[in-house]
Amino acid sequence: MRHLLSISDLSAHEAISILDTATELARISDGQTKKLPTLRGRTIVNLFAEDSTRTRISFEAAAKRLSADVINFSAKGSSTSKGESLKDTAQTLQAMGADAVVIRHSASGAAQRLADLEWMSGSVINAGDGTHEHPSQALLDAFTIRKHLGKGSRDLAGIRVAIVGDVLHSRVARSNVLLLSLLGADVVLVAPPTLLPVGVESWPASVSFDFDSVIPNVDAIMMLRVQQERMTDLFFPNSREYSRYFGLNSERMSKMATHAIVMHPGPMNRGLEISADVADSARSVIVEQVTNGVNVRMAILYVLLAGGALEVGANS
Amino acid sequence: MSVALSAQDMSRALTRISHEILEKNHGSTNLVLLGIPTRGAHLASRISTIMSGIEGREIPVGTLDITLYRDDLRLRPPRTIMATSIPAFGVEGRDLILIDDVLFSGRTIRAALDALGEVGRPASVQLAVLIDRGHRQLPIRADFVGKNLPTSREQTVKVQIEEVDGTDEVTIEGQG
């Protein structure tokens, strides 16, 4: 495995081995060891052409814990804002000897393009491309679900997950539907019809328009952010109505199964898709998702960069 | 292929190593055993069992994965990270016995010493191996050896143990 562009490139075996690696790394970081020498001398570039808090910091922390050198590059304050093309930027990074580029871009397919056209020799990691995919987020969500609900099993067979809200604009939802179903979970998408993409019936997930009927029957509820910055049209009458039908508040939370967890990829619109008391409740694993994100991203960097060729699991 | 150690030879060697460790350390009061996964970890728990029988007390044993500290990571496909479990009281001030199946280049042990540096500061670190096959690339030697096995670089020493491979046997493969 050289790049991580889309969950659809992963086999269940590869996905599980990333989760297993993350589990061991989490155990190491929970102990005294915070810094590992594994990627010493490697250079990882964070190329963020779109705003991000969690993902960028998470990849940076992951790379630094593995002793890699990190160069942060954001579109604001770089030549990209002067109109430099992705190709010229990539060639610049290649000339500087980047071993991997973590790319976030507002155009769907930007990471794929960077990898396919061989502008640079390093690995490409998709950290979110437009409304397409966000594979590292899906892996950390699967890791979090497995940790809380997996009961020691390596996959997610039989676990029921609801993904609720703005599915149309959500790369997190796309990656999660692919990964969770690959690992054996049952996924139900809950959204108003206007916020579901064309062709959703071909996805490996069922669809519901009635949040209240779904709530008691799932093990995890993943709320999605309403992505107002991508909304060029009117998708629901007003935010109060959206929140009434598709928001998670404490009354809805009380109908959840006792073991069920609440997730959110962040950043949250408190009061819109999730109420503040739910976000801060004991059921919420939202802050833990961030912690798990660092370990999962360490595992991704380890699998892509530490060795020569593929085959995780070949232990001599 | 020739058999270097049979199941019985292996059991005798482990018993002797256990006695030697106890003799050199004047008993077991300060000992901690750490096995290097996969096979070293199983050998460590066997040695711990043998020693516990001799001493009449539980000898603490753990595992130390060294994958993340290897200097040859780039030369091979990515390796699976194995479990590390250090006894709860740590290794601080203890006499620590590292246990592995085969001592060859010495690079695994160098990595183990680096990994250990993150865990704590033992009073001493000693090395016990089932097989020493020579060809060291670093100034490292074992304190306790099950069997010295002269080999050529081209040969492969294959250690099989019950817990992993279903049988206890050490064989040499390839031309000497």
Side-chain angles (χ1 to χ4, degrees):
Chain A
M1 189 160 53
R2 185 172 148 210
H3 306 299
L4 180 65
L5 304 172
S6 160
I7 293 294
S8 57
D9 299 338
L10 291 179
S11 66
H13 172 76
E14 286 170 328
I16 287 172
S17 77
I18 291 174
L19 300 187
D20 288 347
T21 303
T23 305
E24 287 307 327
L25 288 167
R27 204 173 295 166
I28 294 169
S29 333
D30 283 346
Q32 294 169 305
T33 314
K34 293 287 179 208
K35 189 108 177 162
L36 296 158
T38 317
L39 295 182
R40 196 153 50 200
R42 304 300 191 91
T43 302
I44 294 169
V45 176
N46 280 331
L47 174 61
F48 278 66
E50 201 184 60
D51 293 339
S52 163
T53 312
R54 261 160 296 272
T55 308
R56 185 178 62 74
I57 294 177
S58 183
F59 267 111
E60 183 170 352
K64 284 181 171 168
R65 284 194 194 167
L66 291 170
S67 301
D69 296 317
V70 183
I71 298 173
N72 283 313
F73 178 110
S74 60
K76 284 176 199 140
S78 72
S79 291
T80 310
S81 58
K82 297 180 193 163
E84 187 175 51
S85 70
L86 187 58
K87 179 175 182 178
D88 290 331
T89 305
Q91 285 175 335
T92 305
L93 300 177
Q94 168 71 8
M96 287 179 185
D99 294 295
V101 174
V102 178
I103 179 175
R104 154 80 52 105
H105 203 283
S106 59
S108 299
Q112 187 80 47
R113 191 165 171 78
L114 199 56
D116 284 353
L117 295 182
E118 302 283 339
W119 290 327
M120 40 173 292
S121 60
S123 296
V124 177
I125 299 168
N126 183 4
D129 58 334
T131 58
H132 176 231
E133 278 219 45
H134 193 348
S136 66
Q137 177 72 40
L139 285 160
L140 81 87
D141 289 336
F143 179 88
T144 306
I145 293 171
R146 187 174 82 160
K147 192 171 157 194
H148 282 272
L149 306 166
K151 300 192 186 86
S153 114
R154 294 179 77 202
D155 61 11
L156 303 177
I159 295 174
R160 298 155 303 173
V161 183
I163 300 179
V164 186
D166 185 358
V167 177
L168 178 63
H169 299 103
S170 178
R171 52 197 175 208
V172 175
R174 272 171 191 71
S175 288
N176 260 306
V177 166
L178 292 173
L179 182 62
L180 297 177
S181 62
L182 181 69
L183 297 177
D186 296 320
V187 183
V188 52
L189 298 168
V190 183
T194 51
L195 286 176
L196 285 170
V198 174
V200 72
E201 56 285 346
S202 67
W203 291 18
S206 53
V207 173
S208 168
F209 304 126
D210 180 6
F211 192 15
D212 288 302
S213 71
V214 169
I215 289 172
N217 302 319
V218 292
D219 305 304
I221 295 181
M222 187 183 298
M223 301 306 298
L224 298 174
R225 181 172 67 90
V226 175
Q227 303 198 24
Q228 277 145 340
E229 79 278 14
R230 292 189 214 275
M231 291 190 179
T232 52
D233 216 334
L234 191 64
F235 291 94
F236 46 83
N238 58 56
S239 49
R240 275 183 61 197
E241 182 168 332
Y242 179 86
S243 173
R244 170 115 56 94
Y245 287 101
F246 296 100
L248 187 60
N249 51 32
S250 49
E251 193 200 327
R252 286 205 168 100
M253 188 172 71
S254 68
K255 308 222 166 62
M256 290 170 67
T258 48
H259 65 273
I261 57 173
V262 174
M263 307 171 73
H264 193 300
M268 290 183 274
N269 293 311
R270 284 173 186 250
L272 182 53
E273 71 265 5
I274 189 165
S275 70
D277 51 347
V278 172
D280 301 329
S281 74
R283 275 177 190 283
S284 156
V285 297
I286 297 168
V287 176
E288 192 200 315
Q289 282 174 273
V290 179
T291 309
N292 293 342
V294 176
N295 292 317
V296 167
R297 287 173 177 122
M298 282 172 77
I300 292 169
L301 294 174
Y302 175 76
V303 169
L304 293 183
L305 294 178
L310 177 71
E311 204 37 52
V312 180
N315 203 57
S316 70
Chain B
M1 188 189 90
S2 67
V3 176
L5 285 184
S6 68
Q8 235 177 12
D9 295 335
M10 200 190 282
S11 147
R12 286 194 195 103
L14 292 175
T15 307
R16 177 173 52 76
I17 289 175
S18 306
H19 280 286
E20 283 176 359
I21 294 172
L22 289 171
E23 183 186 5
K24 185 171 173 200
N25 291 282
H26 308 291
S28 63
T29 44
N30 205 32
L31 287 182
V32 175
L33 311 182
L34 281 188
I36 298 173
T38 314
R39 292 179 181 74
H42 292 291
L43 293 176
S45 57
R46 283 202 208 176
I47 291 177
S48 158
T49 310
I50 297 169
M51 283 177 150
S52 305
I54 300 165
E55 292 285 286
R57 59 182 286 273
E58 200 70 10
I59 310 296
V61 59
T63 60
L64 180 70
D65 182 58
I66 53 109
T67 310
L68 295 162
Y69 295 85
R70 298 195 79 98
D71 61 3
D72 60 356
L73 280 171
R74 294 182 82 157
L75 308 178
R76 292 169 185 233
R79 293 155 178 267
T80 307
I81 301 173
M82 312 296 283
T84 292
S85 70
I86 307 293
F89 49 78
V91 298
E92 214 67 30
R94 296 292 188 128
D95 291 313
L96 195 144
I97 316 290
L98 275 177
I99 297 170
D100 203 2
D101 51 357
V102 180
L103 180 58
F104 184 22
S105 66
R107 287 177 192 268
T108 300
I109 303 306
R110 183 210 60 83
L113 293 172
D114 282 357
L116 210 48
E118 299 289 335
V119 176
R121 186 180 183 282
S124 71
V125 181
Q126 299 158 41
L127 174 63
V129 296
L130 183 63
I131 301 292
D132 181 350
R133 60 166 297 190
H135 305 291
R136 215 77 73 238
Q137 294 165 358
L138 294 169
I140 282 171
R141 59 159 181 75
D143 301 275
F144 311 99
V145 179
K147 188 175 172 73
N148 282 298
L149 215 53
T151 55
S152 79
R153 266 173 218 280
E154 289 67 39
Q155 288 174 314
T156 311
V157 174
K158 190 174 170 197
V159 175
Q160 292 180 285
I161 65 168
E162 187 79 44
E163 295 90 324
V164 183
D165 313 290
T167 175
D168 278 349
E169 192 173 65
V170 180
T171 52
I172 307 178
E173 291 173 4
Q175 287 301 308

